[in-house]
């Protein structure tokens, strides 16, 4: 009775040991190489966020308040393909789960700055020159008797 149990344990130990592989350390890429790979992906995601923020009234309100990350979050689902490509590439270059940390940390800071630079000028209310007199002045002139 002991023999079948011991034989089963021996087989399971051998199979488990054969399946276990040592984790390969991910070799960190050269900084310039990593930047050349990540830069276009980061740019595509940032472009997507900038375009979608300007097309959504709620996102525009957040942006006007200076809440850039929140503005991007309102429309972020539209940029999933770009974000996923960036996260997956970061994982491939630097190791599993690094892309998500990068997206929530360094990229979020980058996104705030980039959206502020790109969109702030479009969101500022600018005075527009007009040939028409202000409404109050026009009604006062209309009411004055003509000489």
């Amino acid at each position: 009775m002991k023999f079948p149990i011991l034989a089963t344990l021996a087989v399971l130990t051998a199979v488990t040991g054969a399946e276990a592989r040592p984790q390969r350390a991910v070799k960190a890429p050269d900084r310039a190489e990593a930047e050349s790979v990540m830069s276009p992906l980061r740019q595509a995601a940032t472009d997507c966020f900038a375009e979608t923020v300007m097309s959504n009234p709620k996102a525009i309100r957040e942006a006007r308040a200076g809440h850039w990350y929140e503005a991007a979050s309102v429309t972020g689902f539209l940029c999933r393909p770009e974000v996923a490509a960036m996260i997956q590439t970061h994982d491939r270059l630097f190791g599993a789960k690094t892309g998500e940390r990068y997206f929530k940390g360094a990229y979020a800071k980058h996104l705030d700055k980039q959206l502020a630079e790109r969109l702030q000028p479009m969101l500022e209310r600018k005075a527009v020159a007009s040939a028409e007199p202000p409404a109050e002045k026009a009604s006062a002139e209309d009411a004055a008797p003509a000489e």
Side-chain angles (χ1 to χ4, degrees):
M1 186 76 165
K2 287 184 181 179
F3 179 72
I5 293 174
L6 290 175
T8 304
L9 284 174
V11 169
L12 286 176
T13 303
V15 169
T16 306
E19 288 180 8
R21 295 182 188 136
Q23 290 283 31
R24 290 187 303 156
V26 176
K27 180 186 168 222
D30 175 79
R31 190 176 266 312
E33 177 187 337
E35 182 59 25
S36 70
V37 172
M38 289 298 296
S39 181
L41 298 170
R42 187 173 48 243
Q43 187 67 41
T46 303
D47 290 346
C48 179
F49 282 118
E51 290 172 17
T52 57
V53 164
M54 291 307 290
S55 67
N56 183 295
K58 184 176 180 184
I60 290 173
R61 282 193 301 275
E62 291 288 349
R64 280 202 171 106
H67 304 141
W68 299 105
Y69 188 77
E70 291 81 0
S73 297
V74 169
T75 59
F77 64 94
L78 296 170
C79 300
R80 273 192 193 141
E82 291 84 354
V83 170
M86 185 172 54
I87 289 173
Q88 290 168 357
T89 301
H90 198 282
D91 284 349
R92 185 175 46 81
L93 290 171
F94 298 102
K97 306 293 182 194
T98 61
E100 193 69 34
R101 283 193 308 268
Y102 169 75
F103 176 70
K104 291 179 180 177
Y107 179 73
K109 290 177 186 174
H110 162 84
L111 182 62
D112 275 354
K113 291 175 187 172
Q114 287 295 309
L115 290 179
E117 284 177 18
R118 290 182 190 197
L119 303 181
Q120 189 65 44
M122 288 185 246
L123 295 174
E124 290 176 353
R125 296 193 173 137
K126 297 180 181 178
V128 178
S130 173
E132 297 292 322
E136 350 26 269
K137 190 172 184 178
S139 18
E141 289 176 359
D142 290 341
E147 292 180 26

